[in-house]
Amino acid sequence: MVTVNLIKDGGQQFSEEFQALNPMKQVPALKIDGITIGQSLAIIEYLEETRPTPRLLPQDPKKRAHVRMISDLIASGIQPLQNLSVLKQVGQEKQLSWAQQVISSGFNALERILQSTAGKYCVGDEVSMADLCLVPQVANADRYKVDLTPYPTISRINKSLLTLEAFQVSHPCRQPDTPPELRA
């Protein structure tokens, strides 16, 4: 039997206990197989390597490279720049415009990439690690009132993903630590 403990509660991440698990005090962190893994992409890759069903990385090396490129673009190029810790440094009066600018800039690049990689989802017609990164980032775009009209491919893929039960139940607006004003 496998014991899995995914820690993603925004308040818990600042506790001393959590800092012992992840010195960066960032979520998520996954306790599994006797180890603790921090960072979303590392968690996804570990699960892919140890529990490869369903596959989150395509067999084809070119498609796999596209999945990793898109995942990195979102997880490293967009998401960190509108984290709450960064927004606090920007200042209350500039937070909304900062987040909108960062997300729009990243979505401009992502939209161009997806126009050549997308099928039903980010890369072809199978759900991949890239799709796992896309949905929460679109949720953040909604949170920060980013106009998604210039991003028809992103919007179409997100809409397709949200028809899948796994994405419905794991959506950020349905998590126990979601602020009441952002809940579904």
Side-chain angles (χ1 to χ4, degrees):
M1 181 173 182
V2 175
T3 301
V4 176
N5 186 9
L6 181 62
I7 303 163
K8 58 174 251 1
D9 176 28
Q12 184 179 359
Q13 80 188 68
F14 300 109
S15 70
E16 286 183 33
E17 178 185 4
F18 187 83
Q19 188 172 1
L21 296 175
N22 187 341
M24 284 291 291
K25 298 186 246 177
Q26 294 176 335
V27 291
L30 177 68
K31 289 178 75 170
I32 188 171
D33 300 340
I35 64 171
T36 302
I37 307 167
Q39 302 302 330
S40 298
L41 297 183
I43 291 168
I44 294 168
E45 294 241 10
Y46 180 81
L47 293 172
E48 173 72 11
E49 292 167 2
T50 61
R51 293 154 180 85
T53 304
R55 293 195 65 80
L56 296 173
L57 291 170
Q59 292 264 1
D60 178 82
K62 291 177 183 175
K63 286 185 176 181
R64 194 166 50 245
H66 283 138
V67 166
R68 286 183 168 129
M69 174 181 66
I70 292 165
S71 300
D72 282 340
L73 186 154
I74 296 168
S76 300
I78 304 172
Q79 194 274 333
L81 296 172
Q82 35 85 57
N83 264 351
L84 292 177
S85 61
V86 172
L87 291 175
K88 286 180 185 176
Q89 297 299 316
V90 170
Q92 184 72 32
E93 67 285 344
K94 295 181 183 178
Q95 286 182 3
L96 182 63
S97 63
W98 171 266
Q100 289 172 336
Q101 188 278 323
V102 165
I103 295 168
S104 295
S105 176
F107 274 14
N108 285 332
L110 181 59
E111 179 71 20
R112 290 181 63 193
I113 292 166
L114 291 175
Q115 288 172 358
S116 66
T117 65
K120 186 172 182 180
Y121 306 116
C122 287
V123 178
D125 295 327
E126 300 294 325
V127 172
S128 71
M129 177 169 69
D131 301 299
L132 273 58
C133 295
L134 180 69
V135 170
Q137 188 54 64
V138 173
N140 271 347
D142 289 340
R143 176 182 186 173
Y144 293 111
K145 301 172 180 50
V146 173
D147 178 13
L148 296 177
T149 306
Y151 315 113
T153 311
I154 291 171
S155 296
R156 177 186 58 75
I157 293 168
N158 188 64
K159 185 176 179 179
S160 292
L161 290 165
L162 291 178
T163 66
L164 303 174
E165 182 182 6
F167 286 91
Q168 293 170 10
V169 299
S170 63
H171 194 276
C173 69
R174 291 191 172 84
Q175 299 310 304
D177 60 335
T178 300
E181 67 274 11
L182 300 175
R183 288 183 183 249

